[in-house]
Amino acid sequence: MQGLPKTDKCRVAGTGATSGYLGKEQYLTRGGTNSASSGMKPIFPCDVPRARGLLRWVRKEGGFVHQSVKIAQVDPYGLGLVVSDEIPKGSDLIALPHHVPLQFGSIETDLGDGAYSVLANLARQVPEELWAMRLSLKLLQERAKTASFWWPYISNLPETYSVPIFFPGEDIKNLQYAPLLHQVNKRCRFLLEFEKEVKQALENLKPDDHPFGGQDVDTSSLGWAMSAVSSRAFQLYGKELPDGTRINIPMMLPLIDMCNHSFSPNAEIIQEKVLGNPKMLVVAGTQIKQDEPLVLNYGCLNNDLFLLDYGFVVPSNPFDCIELKYDGGLLDAASSAAGVSSPNFSSPAPWQQQILYQLNLDGQAPLLKVSIGGPELVEGRLLAALRVLLSNDMERVHKHDLSTLKSLSVEAPLGISTEVAALNTVIALCVIALGSFPTKIMEDESLLKQNVSGSTELAVQFRLQKKSMIVDVMRDLTRRVKSLVSKESDTSRS
């Protein structure tokens, strides 16, 4: 029996917007996979009576569902799993036999029929970071079949999704956060380009070789499938390689993927083998009270990923952060605003440059993306760089290893004055980041009280949480600065 990492979970079904931006004058339409152009079987809005058929199907296929586990409306997420009676810790809640999860299989060979070969060739063209699209192809293939084994599951998938690729163009702009805007536009561009690849691959195929039964596949159907997979799939352990490492395989786990998210989960997923075949279990991680929903931890993710893949935002997310580019000019501006003078940001001394190289902030292929927020509060590489660049004492710096210089819990390793300068520079970076948002927190809060669309509400919630997180970081760092200044003052008086 083997427990799965918390970050292996993906899920959430929201209500989609009326249309989604795919670049200039190009949109994903709501329910696009139901259109006449796609010709695929329709997905109807989920309801409890039809969803209960999924329970019966899982049990019919040899799966186990605890008698107290029910499908019900769980606000604000929609359909989810709820327990009707108290369940003790350690109890098995759901078990799926190996043939029930929906997975793509291997794309490393062309073994199988012509339709699978076409699908495998298309999957090879999908970049690794968009792994959800590979499984999406399998999902669309099964949806196109007249008698798919997985139809009781597929028919219960949401008709629409609340991920940003379905937002109207104006609401994508309403996100107001460049790193997320970049990711949304990147996915939209990929869908447009991949639609062309799919249509080209399907041209002049024999009917038996057509992976989608002769039906058309467009950006709307691709977007729907990718959203279904990214919001519901699990990356589970696959076959073991000769060196002992395992290949993670994305899978859709019927019924299990109706568990919602919490950073304080009451259930966990376990993968075990029975007679050589994998079996997926959901086990009660705590005692679960009557009428409580089943919740899993989808992972220690920031709100960018929650919104991109799952279509929701976590308020006061302890893992939320902002991304910045490590740049000498930006640091000069921040330090100047903070009243800190240092020529080393743009022109570090050779010994400082060597440390920047070790931090992968300098050199031939540096990683210049740094973050503020989350559990670290200040990413260790950024903190170490500021401490080093604001110090002129090379010998003192070299007395510490990188792990010490990167840790905020190590108080003032290079002296109080250097630490105060470093923290004030980070506070100034936060001020600059806040200033990059066109609206203020009070304006966002006021807008949320109005009758706005679902996509507008999500966009405003996202940017509001980013700003609130930045303010919280500033408050924390300001307290640290005051404490350091007080200690320095006490030391000088004594």
Side-chain angles (χ1 to χ4, degrees):
M1 184 177 292
Q2 189 168 24
L4 296 180
K6 294 177 180 178
T7 52
D8 283 343
K9 177 68 186 76
C10 319
R11 142 89 184 106
V12 152
T15 302
T18 55
S19 62
Y21 187 62
L22 275 178
K24 188 175 181 180
E25 298 179 349
Q26 302 204 50
Y27 292 82
L28 277 179
T29 56
R30 183 174 185 229
T33 48
N34 299 341
S35 65
S37 65
S38 70
M40 290 192 174
K41 290 181 288 186
I43 297 292
F44 300 102
C46 297
D47 59 72
V48 174
R50 188 157 51 83
R52 286 173 182 158
L54 182 59
L55 285 168
R56 295 191 293 270
W57 176 71
V58 169
R59 287 175 173 138
K60 174 178 173 291
E61 291 301 323
F64 167 78
V65 183
H66 194 286
Q67 62 181 3
S68 295
V69 172
K70 310 295 181 186
I71 295 176
Q73 289 289 336
V74 180
D75 293 333
Y77 302 108
L79 292 186
L81 301 181
V82 177
V83 300
S84 58
D85 293 295
E86 189 173 288
I87 297 178
K89 178 181 179 179
S91 302
D92 288 352
L93 303 173
I94 303 171
L96 298 183
H98 72 279
H99 65 284
V100 169
L102 175 62
Q103 58 183 297
F104 189 96
S106 174
I107 63 171
E108 303 305 321
T109 67
D110 278 329
L111 298 177
D113 56 23
Y116 181 81
S117 296
V118 173
L119 218 60
N121 286 330
L122 285 171
R124 291 191 187 96
Q125 300 175 45
V126 177
E128 189 63 37
E129 63 184 288
L130 295 177
W131 58 266
M133 192 69 253
R134 296 175 181 172
L135 184 51
S136 301
L137 294 169
K138 176 65 174 178
L139 175 60
L140 288 174
Q141 182 186 45
E142 293 299 326
R143 182 177 173 178
K145 290 182 180 178
T146 55
S148 171
F149 168 77
W150 286 281
W151 183 245
Y153 167 63
I154 295 173
S155 64
N156 279 287
L157 293 175
E159 178 190 19
T160 56
Y161 289 90
S162 54
V163 293
I165 62 169
F166 288 103
F167 282 12
E170 189 60 32
D171 282 334
I172 290 183
K173 295 177 185 176
N174 281 334
L175 295 168
Q176 297 183 354
Y177 181 60
L180 183 60
L181 291 172
H182 172 75
Q183 290 299 323
V184 175
N185 288 323
K186 183 177 181 179
R187 293 190 181 196
C188 290
R189 288 194 300 270
F190 167 76
L191 286 169
L192 288 169
E193 292 301 318
F194 195 58
E195 179 194 34
K196 298 175 184 177
E197 299 290 342
V198 172
K199 290 186 179 299
Q200 184 177 355
L202 300 182
E203 281 181 352
N204 305 318
L205 284 180
K206 300 176 182 177
D208 290 344
D209 291 342
H210 199 294
F212 308 109
Q215 298 173 12
D216 187 36
V217 174
D218 56 17
T219 50
S220 290
S221 54
L222 290 169
W224 173 85
M226 187 168 73
S227 301
V229 172
S230 71
S231 65
R232 304 179 79 91
F234 299 73
Q235 295 232 42
L236 300 179
Y237 300 125
K239 68 178 182 179
E240 187 171 325
L241 298 178
D243 62 2
T245 59
R246 289 179 178 268
I247 298 176
N248 284 351
I249 298 178
M251 300 181 189
M252 301 185 80
L253 304 185
L255 195 62
I256 291 177
D257 62 10
M258 296 186 76
C259 294
N260 286 304
H261 164 76
S262 173
F263 286 129
S264 301
N266 56 19
E268 58 183 342
I269 301 174
I270 292 174
Q271 185 177 3
E272 64 178 20
K273 281 194 173 183
V274 179
L275 299 177
N277 290 318
K279 182 180 181 181
M280 311 304 167
L281 297 174
V282 176
V283 177
T286 64
Q287 180 174 313
I288 305 175
K289 297 178 181 179
Q290 183 179 355
D291 297 328
E292 275 191 0
L294 293 185
V295 287
L296 299 166
N297 187 345
Y298 297 178
C300 302
L301 309 175
N302 61 30
N303 276 339
D304 303 45
L305 291 175
F306 276 127
L307 186 57
L308 265 176
D309 287 338
Y310 315 131
F312 67 89
V313 174
V314 177
S316 303
N317 181 351
F319 302 100
D320 203 15
C321 59
I322 56 167
E323 292 179 3
L324 301 170
K325 181 182 179 182
Y326 181 85
D327 176 77
L330 176 62
L331 294 179
D332 282 335
S335 63
S336 176
V340 177
S341 178
S342 174
N344 297 325
F345 291 130
S346 297
S347 303
W351 66 270
Q352 293 171 324
Q353 196 164 11
Q354 180 60 35
I355 296 176
L356 293 178
Y357 178 81
Q358 295 173 24
L359 293 169
N360 201 17
L361 293 171
D362 199 357
Q364 291 186 344
L367 178 60
L368 298 179
K369 183 175 72 175
V370 293
S371 64
I372 296 175
E376 283 188 295
L377 211 63
V378 183
E379 184 182 326
R381 296 188 309 135
L382 173 61
L383 180 62
L386 291 175
R387 284 170 166 172
V388 170
L389 293 175
L390 288 165
S391 174
N392 293 317
D393 192 337
M394 181 176 66
E395 290 186 7
R396 188 170 189 177
V397 171
H398 284 152
K399 288 179 181 179
H400 301 285
D401 57 24
L402 281 184
S403 61
T404 298
L405 295 174
K406 291 163 65 176
S407 175
L408 191 60
S409 62
V410 179
E411 189 177 90
L414 302 182
I416 290 180
S417 60
T418 298
E419 190 76 353
V420 168
L423 296 184
N424 277 332
T425 302
V426 177
I427 293 171
L429 286 172
C430 289
V431 173
I432 292 172
L434 270 180
S436 68
F437 289 93
T439 58
K440 299 185 183 301
I441 289 178
M442 290 182 63
E443 294 177 89
D444 295 340
E445 292 173 337
S446 176
L447 187 57
L448 288 175
K449 295 176 182 178
Q450 302 175 23
N451 186 23
V452 297
S453 68
S455 58
T456 299
E457 182 179 0
L458 265 177
V460 175
Q461 284 179 344
F462 172 82
R463 75 195 195 205
L464 177 59
Q465 290 301 319
K466 284 291 180 194
K467 297 169 192 174
S468 298
M469 180 274 300
I470 295 171
V471 171
D472 288 343
V473 171
M474 292 170 66
R475 287 173 178 161
D476 190 309
L477 295 180
T478 299
R479 284 194 296 268
R480 292 170 186 262
V481 168
K482 288 181 178 178
S483 176
L484 289 168
V485 171
S486 177
K487 290 179 181 179
E488 187 175 41
S489 177
D490 292 342
T491 301
S492 63
R493 282 199 298 268
S494 61

